[in-house]
Each structure stands twice: as C-alpha cells, then as structure tokens.
Amino acid sequence: MAVWSLSPGIRSCCLLNDGITETWRFPSTCFSTCNNNTKRGSKTLRVTSALQSYYRLSKIRASKTSTELKEEVSTRSSQVDDLKKVTTSHSFRTKSGALVKVKVEKKRDKYSIMVYVSSLELSGCDDDDKSSSLVMVWGVYRSDSSCFLPLDFESSSQDTQTHTTETPFVKSSSSESKLGLEFDGKESPFYLSFRLKNPNNGLEMLTHRDTNFCVPVGFTAGRPLPLGLSSGPDDDNSWNFAFFSRNAKSVVLCLYDDTTTDKPALELDLDPYINRTGDVWHASVEKTWEFVRYGYRCLSEEEAEDIVLDPYARVIEKFLGSLFKSPSFDWGRDVSPNIPLEKLNVYRLNVKGFTQHKSSKLPTNIAGTFTGVAEKVNHLKTLGTNAVLLEPMFSFSEQNGPYFPFHFFSPMDMYGPPNSMKEMVKRLHSEGVEVLLEVVFTHTADSGALNGIDDSCYYLDSKSYLNCNFPVLQELILESLRYWVTEFHVDGFCFINASSLLRGVHGEHLSRPPLVESISFDPLLAGRKLIADCWDPHDVKMIPKEVRFPHWKRWAEVNTRYCRNVRNFVRGRGLLSDLATRICGSGDVFTDGRGPAFSFNYVSRNSGLSLVDLVSFSGPEVASELSWNCGEEGATNKSTVLQTRLKQIRNFLFIQYVSLGVPVLNMGDECGVSTRGLTSRKPFDWNMLASAFGVQITQFISFMTSVRARRSDVFQRRNFLKPENIVWYANDQTTPKWEDPGSKFLALEIKAEREEETTASLVEPTEPKNNDLFIGFNASDQPESVILPSLPDGSKWRRLVDTALPFPGFFSVEGETVVAEEEEEEMNQPVMYEMKPYSCTLFETINATT
C-alpha cells in the first residue's frame, strides 16, 4: 500500500546516558522535497524540503558522537527552553504489572519520545543487569499496523524482514529504565509500535491486552465528542475526527491532498486502545498538512473495506467529507415569518422540477436550482402561498431519487452550493414565505450513506430502513435538524415515512419513541413546525399508512384520511359523514389536544396522480388512486367530458380551501400538469400558466386563499368550530343521511361567532366577522334544488362561488345577491337555489343596505 510523506525522512536517535549513539531515518514510498543535504561526520544534519516535486530518496548514512551531540544540545538549550512545547503522555501496563509510560513532546519541527519502564521483574539476570538486559523492539507504521515501514540506516540491530529495530534501555534510577527517540516532525503522522524484550532469555513483554505498545506521533488521540469533524484540542491548529462504529475491528482514517484523486494520500490505522473510547474512534491531526478531504475505511469480517463518508460531515465533495468550512454567509436582518399553523397556505415543490423547464426563461446556471426558486417568488405570492414545502433536498442517490438520501447535512449539489440555498431562504423570508423541508431519516440509498459503517447498529433490515431510535442514530438525526435550523434558517420539517420513526431497535412498535419525544422537546427546534407524513417511498402502491402518531401537542400530520375521503366523495362513492368530518378539521384524529390547524390537507401529491390526472384516468393500474375519468379514459375532445373534468378540478380545490386545516397545493396542479396517468411528475411548464385553464385555476386559487384570510374566524382556526354554530342540511333542509352511500349531497350553515367568542380563539379580524356562511356540495350527476336558510330582516345571501358556472363568473369577490322569486310580495320567502351536477357553492350573508 502506498504511503504518503511530506519530508525526506524521519530522523531517529537513541539517547543513551544523555548521549546519542546512532542516527538513522526510514523512508516512505515517495517524498515531497527539493533539496537534501547531509554532512557526514559533522555536527549538523540538515534536511531542506518543499512541496514541489516527488522522488524516491536514497539512503543516508550519518553518525554523531555523544560528545559532539552534547555540545550541540548545550548551545541550543536556552533556545529550546523558550519554544512552545506540546506534550502528550500515554500509560500502559504489562501482564506482569510493569508500568510503561511514554511521553511525546514536540519541539519546533521535531518529536522527542521518551519511554519509561518501571517495576520490571526480569528473570534470568541479576538486579544490576535487569535494565541493561531490557531492549525495545520497535517499528513505525501508518495505514497497516501489521506492516511496518522500512528503516533505512546502518545498524546491525535492524531486522530487514520485519523492519523492526532493537534498542537497549538505560537505567535512570533503581526502579526505572528509560529510552529516548527523536523524529523529524515533517514525517508525521505515524505510529510508534514496540514491545519489550529480555535478550538473555528471549522473553517478550506486551500490554495487558497481549498487543504491542502503540503511540501516535504527529497526531494525538483526540476526543470522542462531538462526533464528526471539529477543531482539535488546540483549537484552530488541528482537526479532531470522531467516528462511531461499534462492530468494526479496526478503522482507518483516510486523508486526501487533492480533490481530483480517488486514492488517499495518507491512511492512519487508528489504534483500538489509544484512538477508541467506547464505540467511538477518534484522532486529532495537525492542520500543517495540505489535506482537503477525508473518509474512513471500516474493517470487519462481514463488511467490505470501501471508504465511507463521515455521516456528520458538514460539507461533502465527491462523496467524501471536506476539510474546508462552508463560505461565510451574511444573513443580515433575516427573521422567520413565524406564521401560525392555522394561517399557512403551503405549496409543495421539487427544486429542480420547478424551474428546470426552458419555459422558466431563467439562465441555464439558475434553472433547476435554489436560486431559480427564489426568482419565482412572485408566482408563489400570486397563489397566496406563505410557505413552500421542498421535496427532499439532502444529498441523494440520483439513481434512486430524492427520497433516498445518502447524507443528512448537505444540500444536493445539483441544486446549487449551500450559500445559494441560504440566499433562497433569505429571499423567501423577506417576502413573508416560510421554508419547510421534507426530510427522510427512516431509510437511505441502497449504497453509500451509512452502509458499511456498522450495519447492525444503523439498519433494521435489508430494505435500508434505518434504526432511528438507536441512540447514536437518534443523536445524528437531532444534530442534522439543529444544523438546518441554525445554519439554513429553515422553518420546519415534514418527516417522510414517519410511521417508521415509531420502531424500536428490534423493529417493535413504540408508543413513546425516544426520537420523536426528543425532537418534540429539543430547545433549538422549539417554534419550528413538525409534520409527520406516513407515506413510505418503498410502497409501490404509494398508499400512506394510517397510524396513531404520538405528538406531545407539537406534531402536525399530513392527513391521508382527508385525501381518501375527499377523493371518494368527489367521484360519487363516499359517505357524507366522512366528508363532514374532513371539512371540519378531522376531529377523529386531532381532538387529542391539538386541533384542526394540525391537519395538513392535500388532494394530490408528488407521489401519485396529478390533479388533472385524477379526473382523467381511472384504469385498474391506478385503482389505488381513487380517481374517476369523468366518462372517458385519458385524452379526449368530448366537450361534456372536458366540462365535467373542469368542474371536478374546481370542486377538489374548493373543498380543500374551505376545509379547516392547512391546504397543501402540489406543484403544477395550478396549470394542469399531466403525466398521462403515470405517478412520476414532469418539470413545471411555465407556458401552461398562460393557457385558459392555467389562468382561471390560478385566479381561483388566489381567490380562495383570500377568502380563507378574510374569514379566518372560520377557515383558519386553531380550535374546532363549536357544534352549536354548525347546522347540517340535506337538499330539502332535512337531516343528512350520514351513512347512506347513495346520498351525494351535503350542505352546512356556519353561524358566525360574536366578537367576544373570536377574541378567545385568538383571531385578529381584518373586517367584521358577523356574517354567516352556507356551503353546498353536490357529487351527483343530477341537479339539486337547495333551500337556503332563512335570514332575519335586512340580511341577504350573496353567492361567492359556484363551480358549475363558466369562467370568470364562477367566483366573485363582490359576490352576487340571490333572492326568492316572490320576494317582492313576501319579504321572508325561502330562497331556492339550483345546484348543477358535480358542483360546489359558497354563500355569505350581507346586510341588505350594503
């Protein structure tokens, strides 16, 4: 294995009785140098190096007498005393109880190593002979502890086969022997590995673990926390590497000095005694080397020896951790809009697909990036959007897609550098738009990611499901979330496949999962929105699971029941009771201390049929989508089918925006993006916004978001509507047949709460909120004559929406007053209104004098 080095060699000196009897060096495979000068027999050994060229160095033979070196040491002693010294000490025990101490001290560009041995019980020699009989058999290594680097000097004590050297100790006191070595600092880092030997009887002494004594030189043991890359013990002068792997038999730290090479420049085989604490392997390396990337090689019987990415790396480059920090970013006066849950209007988008299409008219270096999203903020505001939900943008496998990440701390590089994401967040915040991230912590890509580090700890099974509640992985997830909040100022997270967060370390269901609880009470995540989405990307049918999610009154949920019940009703197959429950905020799910604001309501999502496809395809291959093609499969020119489809799209959107909870609009649904019945999505075609469909649907969505804001006392509530303020009707003002599958009409009257009531619900009215509402839903293929509730004198009903009317008349800000045919003869005559097939209506009371 190739070994990297930055200097001509390591000079080593054996100190005997405060003198040096030999001088030697050991070469590495190649060195970076421009000059090497030695004077045989002189008092100096000078090595000059520079990082300019590589060549194999020939042998150097030089020696100094003890007298000459004593003079040299004497003249330099005062200078050495003034130098800053960095000292590291290590202690070992032999099986016989002997104490072995090793002190590594850095002086300028050299390392002085002193080995002290005490309390030895050497057999076969007298007391006076014990210390003189003790020798140290030593060698040095970097990447492989079983393969020493060759030593290149003239000495009969060197074993040229094993590259080890025998050096005798000297007696420093009655109970202690010592030995000293000095190495050129430019050859570090490396390990000094040794064992003790009695040459009289060949007896060797190892550590209490039956291993060689091992001491790092040029780097230190480091510390086990924090995991990942951090500053070393001396702050900015060194890197600290900390890496979890319980079952790895050994871990090799791989350092790269060039971003273009795939081979490490230096590999350090971390010693399990010095560089391991518990299940964490760690080391601190000086920053004097020009390393740029790093990774780890985990060696075990079951796992491959591929170099793996540090899970905690903050910046990655070519699937390895970068040793450089992200460029600084000026957040200025950035402040989160901090919008209450109940007031959110969410737009889900894919960063690349949103502006990738040439119709976005953005430069090629901006299209499909974070910057592209920021450039289209005006479109988001036109829709009334105040929060974007970004599909997963952690670094992911392009082969598997964004829902299969391989890293949790860095944005996907195809979307732009990290600072461009920060600029996007800052721009959206300035426009009053929050940024929410879909995150995937329950599984990873099939390769890379945490694979090969410690699969039995990190993973549950072969489907790449992560063991989320395993303590180390739990902390990794928490650190990731904190990082995105502190470094990128994101406003919340939507957890994909959230039901898997409830699995224990053995796959069992947990009613109180520690990860979910920790996220709920983490101080750095306080105030951030937490949303559970139980859709599993591994599920080919793409049917979200329904689970009772523990929430601690902090977690909202993507409401899958809402989607299924609304789809069923609109296609004429649902129960009235289900629709009523969803419209009023899904009390069957959120009456557990939360409220309707914790329900994220969607009709279509990126993992299934688009909105226009829900009304265009209903073949057996999309049966799980609960769609209806309105009479003909796929594309058609039949006007009746097209009109029905248009009404159904309006109906879906209308129900979504009059329902209590948070409406979630999917990218492209506002302009009719179709995938022709496929469940994968196309890039957003901006030209479609100018189509007749795009114009009217975009305006309708904008209108509905304005109605929600104006009537926030009804549609943007933290709490449920009071039962006494809701009256349900069938078409003839009788009680609806809640459980009759044949009943396809439902209406409700919502009586406005008085001012003292709205104050208690923390509503900030933008205008008087004393107007009642009447909402009707007709999923039948027949018209329904609806009797509007009677009103007191001086009040009338005005129609705001009728999805069966032609554009632009099917919605109106001012509304159109509706009156009884015989009103001129009798003031309190009931008002009859005919609702067309497949239509929805919204009425509001007004004072007759306005």
PDB file of all heavy atoms in Angstrom, residues 640-651:
ATOM      1  N   THR A 640     -68.462  17.483 -23.221  1.00  0.00           N
ATOM      2  CA  THR A 640     -69.144  17.151 -21.956  1.00  0.00           C
ATOM      3  C   THR A 640     -68.169  16.555 -20.948  1.00  0.00           C
ATOM      4  O   THR A 640     -68.230  16.872 -19.751  1.00  0.00           O
ATOM      5  CB  THR A 640     -70.286  16.154 -22.213  1.00  0.00           C
ATOM      6  OG1 THR A 640     -69.766  15.000 -22.902  1.00  0.00           O
ATOM      7  CG2 THR A 640     -71.381  16.798 -23.058  1.00  0.00           C
ATOM      8  N   VAL A 641     -67.286  15.700 -21.429  1.00  0.00           N
ATOM      9  CA  VAL A 641     -66.277  15.110 -20.545  1.00  0.00           C
ATOM     10  C   VAL A 641     -65.327  16.186 -20.048  1.00  0.00           C
ATOM     11  O   VAL A 641     -64.991  16.237 -18.852  1.00  0.00           O
ATOM     12  CB  VAL A 641     -65.512  13.987 -21.264  1.00  0.00           C
ATOM     13  CG1 VAL A 641     -64.366  13.470 -20.391  1.00  0.00           C
ATOM     14  CG2 VAL A 641     -66.447  12.847 -21.636  1.00  0.00           C
ATOM     15  N   LEU A 642     -64.896  17.055 -20.938  1.00  0.00           N
ATOM     16  CA  LEU A 642     -63.957  18.112 -20.553  1.00  0.00           C
ATOM     17  C   LEU A 642     -64.587  19.075 -19.553  1.00  0.00           C
ATOM     18  O   LEU A 642     -63.920  19.531 -18.617  1.00  0.00           O
ATOM     19  CB  LEU A 642     -63.487  18.870 -21.794  1.00  0.00           C
ATOM     20  CG  LEU A 642     -62.614  18.068 -22.772  1.00  0.00           C
ATOM     21  CD1 LEU A 642     -62.327  18.892 -24.030  1.00  0.00           C
ATOM     22  CD2 LEU A 642     -61.305  17.651 -22.109  1.00  0.00           C
ATOM     23  N   GLN A 643     -65.869  19.402 -19.743  1.00  0.00           N
ATOM     24  CA  GLN A 643     -66.545  20.299 -18.810  1.00  0.00           C
ATOM     25  C   GLN A 643     -66.674  19.662 -17.428  1.00  0.00           C
ATOM     26  O   GLN A 643     -66.508  20.321 -16.405  1.00  0.00           O
ATOM     27  CB  GLN A 643     -67.923  20.679 -19.358  1.00  0.00           C
ATOM     28  CG  GLN A 643     -67.891  21.656 -20.531  1.00  0.00           C
ATOM     29  CD  GLN A 643     -67.222  22.974 -20.153  1.00  0.00           C
ATOM     30  OE1 GLN A 643     -67.459  23.528 -19.076  1.00  0.00           O
ATOM     31  NE2 GLN A 643     -66.370  23.471 -21.043  1.00  0.00           N
ATOM     32  N   THR A 644     -66.990  18.367 -17.429  1.00  0.00           N
ATOM     33  CA  THR A 644     -67.098  17.667 -16.143  1.00  0.00           C
ATOM     34  C   THR A 644     -65.748  17.636 -15.433  1.00  0.00           C
ATOM     35  O   THR A 644     -65.653  17.858 -14.216  1.00  0.00           O
ATOM     36  CB  THR A 644     -67.614  16.239 -16.347  1.00  0.00           C
ATOM     37  OG1 THR A 644     -68.882  16.284 -17.003  1.00  0.00           O
ATOM     38  CG2 THR A 644     -67.745  15.512 -15.022  1.00  0.00           C
ATOM     39  N   ARG A 645     -64.702  17.374 -16.185  1.00  0.00           N
ATOM     40  CA  ARG A 645     -63.360  17.347 -15.589  1.00  0.00           C
ATOM     41  C   ARG A 645     -63.002  18.704 -15.003  1.00  0.00           C
ATOM     42  O   ARG A 645     -62.429  18.789 -13.903  1.00  0.00           O
ATOM     43  CB  ARG A 645     -62.324  16.932 -16.630  1.00  0.00           C
ATOM     44  CG  ARG A 645     -62.407  15.465 -17.029  1.00  0.00           C
ATOM     45  CD  ARG A 645     -61.392  15.116 -18.108  1.00  0.00           C
ATOM     46  NE  ARG A 645     -61.458  13.695 -18.457  1.00  0.00           N
ATOM     47  CZ  ARG A 645     -60.708  13.117 -19.399  1.00  0.00           C
ATOM     48  NH1 ARG A 645     -59.826  13.849 -20.090  1.00  0.00           N
ATOM     49  NH2 ARG A 645     -60.835  11.819 -19.646  1.00  0.00           N
ATOM     50  N   LEU A 646     -63.326  19.769 -15.718  1.00  0.00           N
ATOM     51  CA  LEU A 646     -63.011  21.102 -15.225  1.00  0.00           C
ATOM     52  C   LEU A 646     -63.761  21.388 -13.922  1.00  0.00           C
ATOM     53  O   LEU A 646     -63.182  21.928 -12.972  1.00  0.00           O
ATOM     54  CB  LEU A 646     -63.360  22.146 -16.283  1.00  0.00           C
ATOM     55  CG  LEU A 646     -63.075  23.607 -15.925  1.00  0.00           C
ATOM     56  CD1 LEU A 646     -61.593  23.800 -15.607  1.00  0.00           C
ATOM     57  CD2 LEU A 646     -63.518  24.531 -17.060  1.00  0.00           C
ATOM     58  N   LYS A 647     -65.032  21.012 -13.874  1.00  0.00           N
ATOM     59  CA  LYS A 647     -65.807  21.222 -12.645  1.00  0.00           C
ATOM     60  C   LYS A 647     -65.227  20.411 -11.493  1.00  0.00           C
ATOM     61  O   LYS A 647     -65.166  20.888 -10.361  1.00  0.00           O
ATOM     62  CB  LYS A 647     -67.270  20.838 -12.882  1.00  0.00           C
ATOM     63  CG  LYS A 647     -68.054  21.844 -13.705  1.00  0.00           C
ATOM     64  CD  LYS A 647     -69.551  21.573 -13.650  1.00  0.00           C
ATOM     65  CE  LYS A 647     -69.927  20.259 -14.281  1.00  0.00           C
ATOM     66  NZ  LYS A 647     -71.401  20.059 -14.258  1.00  0.00           N
ATOM     67  N   GLN A 648     -64.813  19.169 -11.788  1.00  0.00           N
ATOM     68  CA  GLN A 648     -64.265  18.336 -10.722  1.00  0.00           C
ATOM     69  C   GLN A 648     -62.960  18.898 -10.165  1.00  0.00           C
ATOM     70  O   GLN A 648     -62.701  18.815  -8.956  1.00  0.00           O
ATOM     71  CB  GLN A 648     -64.050  16.904 -11.236  1.00  0.00           C
ATOM     72  CG  GLN A 648     -65.330  16.146 -11.582  1.00  0.00           C
ATOM     73  CD  GLN A 648     -66.145  15.782 -10.357  1.00  0.00           C
ATOM     74  OE1 GLN A 648     -66.683  16.675  -9.682  1.00  0.00           O
ATOM     75  NE2 GLN A 648     -66.253  14.500 -10.069  1.00  0.00           N
ATOM     76  N   ILE A 649     -62.142  19.468 -11.031  1.00  0.00           N
ATOM     77  CA  ILE A 649     -60.901  20.104 -10.559  1.00  0.00           C
ATOM     78  C   ILE A 649     -61.241  21.284  -9.657  1.00  0.00           C
ATOM     79  O   ILE A 649     -60.641  21.474  -8.589  1.00  0.00           O
ATOM     80  CB  ILE A 649     -60.041  20.543 -11.755  1.00  0.00           C
ATOM     81  CG1 ILE A 649     -59.458  19.304 -12.448  1.00  0.00           C
ATOM     82  CG2 ILE A 649     -58.920  21.485 -11.309  1.00  0.00           C
ATOM     83  CD1 ILE A 649     -58.739  19.612 -13.743  1.00  0.00           C
ATOM     84  N   ARG A 650     -62.212  22.083 -10.077  1.00  0.00           N
ATOM     85  CA  ARG A 650     -62.657  23.203  -9.240  1.00  0.00           C
ATOM     86  C   ARG A 650     -63.188  22.691  -7.907  1.00  0.00           C
ATOM     87  O   ARG A 650     -62.927  23.283  -6.847  1.00  0.00           O
ATOM     88  CB  ARG A 650     -63.748  23.991  -9.960  1.00  0.00           C
ATOM     89  CG  ARG A 650     -63.299  24.712 -11.224  1.00  0.00           C
ATOM     90  CD  ARG A 650     -64.520  25.297 -11.921  1.00  0.00           C
ATOM     91  NE  ARG A 650     -64.198  26.039 -13.120  1.00  0.00           N
ATOM     92  CZ  ARG A 650     -65.113  26.568 -13.935  1.00  0.00           C
ATOM     93  NH1 ARG A 650     -66.410  26.417 -13.651  1.00  0.00           N
ATOM     94  NH2 ARG A 650     -64.753  27.240 -15.009  1.00  0.00           N
ATOM     95  N   ASN A 651     -63.953  21.590  -7.953  1.00  0.00           N
ATOM     96  CA  ASN A 651     -64.529  21.036  -6.727  1.00  0.00           C
ATOM     97  C   ASN A 651     -63.445  20.589  -5.753  1.00  0.00           C
ATOM     98  O   ASN A 651     -63.531  20.837  -4.541  1.00  0.00           O
ATOM     99  CB  ASN A 651     -65.444  19.860  -7.056  1.00  0.00           C
ATOM    100  CG  ASN A 651     -66.689  20.281  -7.805  1.00  0.00           C
ATOM    101  OD1 ASN A 651     -67.101  21.438  -7.738  1.00  0.00           O
ATOM    102  ND2 ASN A 651     -67.287  19.357  -8.539  1.00  0.00           N
TER     103      ASN A 651
END
